[in-house]
Amino acid sequence: MSTKLQIRLALIALVGACVTLAPDFSFATVYGVKDSKGVFVPKVSVTIGKKEIVINKVDPREKFKSFALILNRKNPALIRNISSVNIEWIASDNRPTKPVPFAGPTYDPSKLKLEEPVTRSIGMKLVDKGARNLFAGKQFSDLFTMYLDQQSLVPKEGSAEPDSAVKMGAGRDISINVDKTSITFNENNIKKGEIVNIDNRSGLDQIIGVEIPEKDLLYTQIVRKPEQTKVPREIWDKFKVTADSGIFVVLIPDPDPAKLAALNGKQVVIKMYQGDKVRETIKVPIKTSGVASEPARSSVVEEQDLKPAMKPAGLSGAQTNEAQPVNKAQSPGAIPSREALKSGGQIGVGIWILQIFNLVTLVGLALYGAFYLLPRVQVLEARISKNEMFLHGAREAIRDELDKTKEEILRECGVEILPGRSEEE
């Protein structure tokens, strides 16, 4: 046997030993699908670290025609910083390949979705290259949702996430999660309102009802996640929320002080049904603070301004004449205030003109960027995408060549491939 062949055999043995002795993370969460009989079929295992997430196939030989990762829309930090996340595909010899950007050619920013076939690779590693620690202290459902061949992957009951709601029976049962225990409307959110997120993470479809004090609110709406479709108002009292999805309730108060005062103490009531009976009720109280007192304060100021101009009843003419010089002495003080108001109005007009000028300038810059800079950026992105696709094809070709070399070496040594093991091993 030649020295070159001996070296190759030694390298293959070393790689096999590394694969065999690779640590088995017992704390990984197993995700899978349910077949037509409701039996859980494991597909992948997920391990989350501070700076990386490892997703491995349960059966390395299985080929995924379509594997998708969708970002959680409730995690704006991850959405904004997704450009700092890289993907390292794990080859059959358990070695990661060269990192590629998550937000690459196969990522759809409008749907926050990455979709690719996973056939030869046995898994993937998501690596956070930024300094924000996007994965630290998070559950996988707080970051991503996985789909395999258009079917949602759910965690196995024995390895469910620790914060999953368990309130009845065994396993994850049939409860929901509400992200708010109370709602407070004040000067900071009276215009934009508040949103209550209701998530069904039980793995089962749920029938719920939502009661909202609509008469005292300016705008209310219930929207399904992640489809972003509205729930018809006529079924708000009882409708279905599918497994591993949710809804969010939009509440915008009326700025009218009377309606705000009436809104204080009202509740958003969420009912969970089991058949025709209400199994559980969650109440989210509504409070108002620092808003209704402003009109009353302004009326008090107006009354104080009007008091000096009123004549006291029961005074004689002489006393009235004596009081008039005091009013005349106070009247000059009112003239500057009117002049100040006029000058303030002129300043306000000048500010508006300046804002309009700034807006026109910004529109001009935007048009310049759209007509001159955007085509160049698009050409650059197209070139980068082609280079990435070329590199991906080159990697696949190198893997095929390595597989053929392994087979030739094994044939020369007279080693047969054991049944039940892939040709790659």
Side-chain angles (χ1 to χ4, degrees), residues 22 64 74 85 110 150 155 193 200 202 215 278 283-284 313 322 334 370 394 416 422:
F64 296 163
K74 295 192 300 181
V85 177
S110 62
Q150 310 303 322
N200 177 13
S202 61
K215 295 182 179 179
V278 178
K283 297 181 179 180
V284 182
E322 291 177 357
E416 296 182 357
S422 64

Side-chain angles (χ1 to χ4, degrees), residues 38-227:
V39 179
F40 182 82
V41 181
K43 292 295 182 180
V44 297
S45 64
V46 179
T47 305
I48 302 180
K50 185 177 180 181
K51 301 288 291 185
E52 62 183 31
I53 298 175
V54 180
I55 303 174
N56 283 322
K57 294 179 182 177
V58 174
D59 183 4
R61 296 168 297 177
E62 186 175 5
K63 296 182 178 181
F64 296 163
K65 295 181 180 179
S66 173
F67 181 78
L69 283 174
I70 301 177
L71 276 65
N72 190 337
R73 292 185 179 274
K74 295 192 300 181
N75 195 332
L78 178 63
I79 296 173
R80 288 195 303 266
N81 299 279
I82 193 61
S83 58
S84 64
V85 177
N86 287 342
I87 299 177
E88 297 179 3
W89 295 99
I90 302 175
S92 57
D93 56 359
N94 209 31
R95 289 185 301 176
T97 60
K98 185 179 178 181
V100 295
F102 186 96
T106 57
Y107 175 70
D108 186 351
S110 62
K111 298 180 180 179
L112 304 179
K113 182 179 180 181
L114 170 76
E115 186 172 8
E116 282 197 15
V118 184
T119 55
R120 302 182 63 84
S121 300
I122 64 173
M124 63 190 302
K125 182 187 293 186
L126 306 179
V127 182
D128 177 15
K129 295 296 184 180
R132 295 182 177 272
N133 294 329
L134 300 174
F135 306 151
K138 298 289 192 306
Q139 300 295 334
F140 187 76
S141 58
D142 299 329
L143 302 168
F144 301 97
T145 303
M146 289 185 294
Y147 284 85
L148 179 59
D149 298 331
Q150 310 303 322
Q151 189 174 2
S152 176
L153 295 180
V154 297
K156 186 179 179 182
E157 291 187 358
S159 60
E161 296 177 356
D163 64 343
S164 299
V166 180
K167 296 188 178 180
M168 293 179 60
R172 300 179 72 190
D173 203 48
I174 51 174
S175 288
I176 63 174
N177 293 340
V178 182
D179 68 340
K180 284 185 174 60
T181 57
S182 65
I183 301 172
T184 301
F185 292 116
N186 51 38
E187 295 178 353
N188 297 327
N189 62 359
I190 191 173
K191 292 183 179 180
K192 63 181 181 180
E194 284 289 339
I195 294 177
V196 180
N197 290 284
I198 303 172
D199 296 315
N200 177 13
R201 300 175 61 187
S202 61
L204 302 172
D205 293 346
Q206 294 252 30
I207 303 297
I208 72 170
V210 181
E211 296 179 4
I212 304 172
E214 297 184 66
K215 295 182 179 179
D216 301 319
L217 289 166
L218 181 65
Y219 177 81
T220 58
Q221 192 58 257
I222 300 178
V223 183
R224 293 186 183 274
K225 299 183 293 185
E227 300 92 349

Side-chain angles (χ1 to χ4, degrees), residues 291-320:
V291 179
S293 60
E294 292 298 327
R297 188 185 307 168
S298 61
S299 63
V300 172
V301 174
E302 290 176 358
E303 290 179 359
Q304 292 178 352
D305 292 338
L306 291 174
K307 282 181 181 179
M310 296 175 62
K311 289 186 179 181
L315 292 179
S316 62
Q319 291 174 338
T320 304

